[in-house]
Amino acid sequence: MATMNRQLVLRQRPKDLLAPGDLEVVETPVPELKDSQALARVKYLSIDPTMRVWMAVDSYLPAVGFGEVMRAIGFAEIEESKSTDFKKGDKVVGLTGLQDYAVVTPGDKRGFHKVPNIPFLSDTAFLGVLGGTGMTAFFGMEIAAPKKGETLVVSAAAGATGSVAGQIGKIQGCRVVGIAGSDDKCKWLTEELGFDAAVNYKHADWKQKLATATPQGIDIDYENVGGEIMHEVLSRMNLFGRVVLCGLISGYTKGDPGMASLSTVLVKRLRVQGFIVLDFASRFMEAATRLGQWKMFGKIKDRETIVEGLEKAPEAINMLFTGGNTGKLMVKV
Ligand SMILES: NC(=O)c1ccc[n+]([C@@H]2O[C@H](COP(=O)([O-])OP(=O)(O)OC[C@H]3O[C@@H](n4cnc5c(N)ncnc54)[C@H](OP(=O)(O)O)[C@@H]3O)[C@@H](O)[C@H]2O)c1
């Protein structure tokens, strides 16, 4: 076992994309375990847009403090244990932080839980389709209350959350249209994931393409982006449509996430519901079972973008804001 622990600690709040010096790599001794604690070796780190928010401001969780290890969800393996809850070799998911080793203290706020060995599932699935982003898509689509034949539009559709939300929409009988930032991503959505249409918002005529792809208007907006994309989608909403306000990534590096044109919501009597996936924590097992079945029977496909090396985590976070990932983005430590 290594004696030193590489950690990425927060030194300054980013102004736009992450810049050199916002996170710094430091090395500290691997901690000694106290009674009832276990030591987990981090294998994979989930790279999430909310990390950029955690670096900057208090939101549904307090901002990460200066000098603290950057908060992140990780997949880890127990290497040593003085705990009756975790034994050597157990695989766990929880808020490991961006580091090689995390101390697991049963019952603390970082929510470590064991994950099972399931032959057809890779370890990384517990950070993606069966992890936080899969849960988000599952419960977001529950809020959407889709009906057969309705039109669902998903923004950031080729990302971790959007790609699963759109496929759940297909399973539930919707016409599903994705919005994404490259032709390759759009091709993946229509040719492999079964979306009915996909629109590349980087093409000048994307608004016309969205109109062509949604001839009956839009009943559900699964909103991951905000800004101009949300504005255009809202303008095509049908009466009594639903807007699932999952995320507003286009505002996260600008410090202005509250940019929706909400008068449309009023005029069209739309029901808008924001949510944080943690609200559904008591039902994660139910969602994981359903998502696992869909994955096993090929009804949900997933893709992963894996960046190698803990020290590459800051670059990986930036990829979320420049569209460098398709599907779930992770760092292999
Ligand atoms: N409410 C919750 O509990 C909850 C939980 C998890 C995630 N979320 C939200 O869900 C959204 C997706 O998160 P994720 O983890 O699944 O990330 P992701 O979609 O895998 O990655 C982010 C994607 O967003 C797109 N994007 C970035 N900046 C954009 C911009 N200015 N305009 C249009 N598209 C942009 C990029 O794809 P393109 O190439 O298509 O631009 C990028 O690949 C985020 O808004 C996140 O905050 C919410």
Side-chain angles (χ1 to χ4, degrees):
M1 195 185 80
T3 53
M4 296 305 279
N5 184 21
R6 289 175 306 158
Q7 304 178 306
L8 271 91
V9 297
L10 184 72
R11 291 291 182 221
Q12 55 198 23
R13 309 227 174 267
K15 298 203 168 48
D16 188 335
L17 291 177
L18 272 67
D22 292 347
L23 293 173
E24 188 194 5
V25 183
V26 299
E27 292 205 10
T28 57
V30 173
E32 291 282 324
L33 292 183
K34 300 196 183 99
D35 277 351
S36 85
Q37 290 184 328
L39 186 68
R41 172 85 165 98
V42 181
K43 302 273 173 169
Y44 292 97
L45 289 158
S46 175
I47 301 297
D48 297 297
T50 194
M51 292 166 75
R52 174 61 181 76
V53 179
W54 292 341
M55 289 176 79
V57 290
D58 291 331
S59 57
Y60 60 97
L61 289 179
V64 175
F66 294 122
E68 285 178 19
V69 176
M70 179 56 207
R71 188 185 294 138
I73 300 171
F75 173 96
E77 236 173 81
I78 303 293
E79 271 198 6
E80 198 187 320
S81 180
K82 293 186 173 177
S83 157
T84 48
D85 295 7
F86 299 100
K87 62 175 191 314
K88 191 172 161 48
D90 280 349
K91 295 175 173 180
V92 296
V93 168
L95 280 175
T96 56
L98 295 181
Q99 56 184 343
D100 287 315
Y101 286 95
V103 173
V104 177
T105 308
D108 76 4
K109 285 192 187 137
R110 289 174 305 150
F112 281 99
H113 57 277
K114 281 189 254 189
V115 294
N117 274 313
I118 300 177
F120 72 92
L121 282 180
S122 64
D123 290 343
T124 52
F126 293 102
L127 296 181
V129 65
L130 295 182
T133 48
M135 299 297 137
T136 303
F138 185 89
F139 292 109
M141 283 304 295
E142 188 172 282
I143 290 167
K147 294 185 207 77
K148 213 167 176 214
E150 285 189 328
T151 299
L152 159 71
V153 171
V154 183
S155 53
T161 305
S163 59
V164 177
Q167 292 180 85
I168 293 174
K170 282 309 300 174
I171 290 167
Q172 293 174 337
C174 293
R175 172 177 174 75
V176 179
V177 178
I179 301 177
S182 76
D183 291 343
D184 279 349
K185 289 184 180 187
C186 288
K187 213 167 148 194
W188 180 57
L189 295 173
T190 52
E191 293 186 3
E192 289 188 47
L193 302 192
F195 281 45
D196 296 283
V199 175
N200 179 349
Y201 70 88
K202 291 189 179 159
H203 288 176
D205 61 348
W206 74 271
K207 293 178 185 172
Q208 290 98 292
K209 292 246 168 68
L210 179 68
T212 308
T214 57
Q216 313 292 329
I218 298 168
D219 301 295
I220 302 165
D221 170 20
Y222 192 106
E223 189 55 55
N224 285 321
V225 172
E228 199 189 351
I229 289 180
M230 180 172 182
H231 182 80
E232 194 59 26
V233 172
L234 287 188
S235 75
R236 296 199 52 71
M237 293 293 293
N238 295 325
L239 294 185
F240 303 106
R242 281 85 67 205
V243 178
V244 182
L245 210 44
C246 177
L248 295 165
I249 194 169
S250 67
Y252 296 176
T253 51
K254 299 187 179 70
D256 172 25
M259 52 171 63
S261 66
L262 289 173
S263 66
T264 314
V265 173
L266 190 152
V267 175
K268 295 198 175 178
R269 288 81 120 190
L270 307 179
R271 199 178 82 190
V272 180
Q273 187 172 339
F275 76 107
I276 296 294
V277 67
L278 300 173
D279 304 342
F280 296 91
S282 64
R283 294 180 53 209
F284 281 178
M285 191 52 80
E286 174 194 337
T289 306
R290 183 71 69 81
L291 288 161
Q293 286 164 347
W294 284 334
K295 185 169 158 60
M296 189 165 67
F297 293 115
K299 289 192 163 185
I300 282 188
K301 294 182 189 143
D302 56 329
R303 193 178 276 187
E304 295 168 345
T305 303
I306 298 185
V307 176
E308 299 248 353
L310 176 65
E311 66 291 348
K312 294 273 176 61
E315 287 166 46
I317 296 173
N318 282 342
M319 285 169 69
L320 293 168
F321 300 95
T322 56
N325 68 308
T326 299
K328 178 66 201 167
L329 179 62
M330 283 171 260
V331 161
K332 185 173 183 190
V333 179

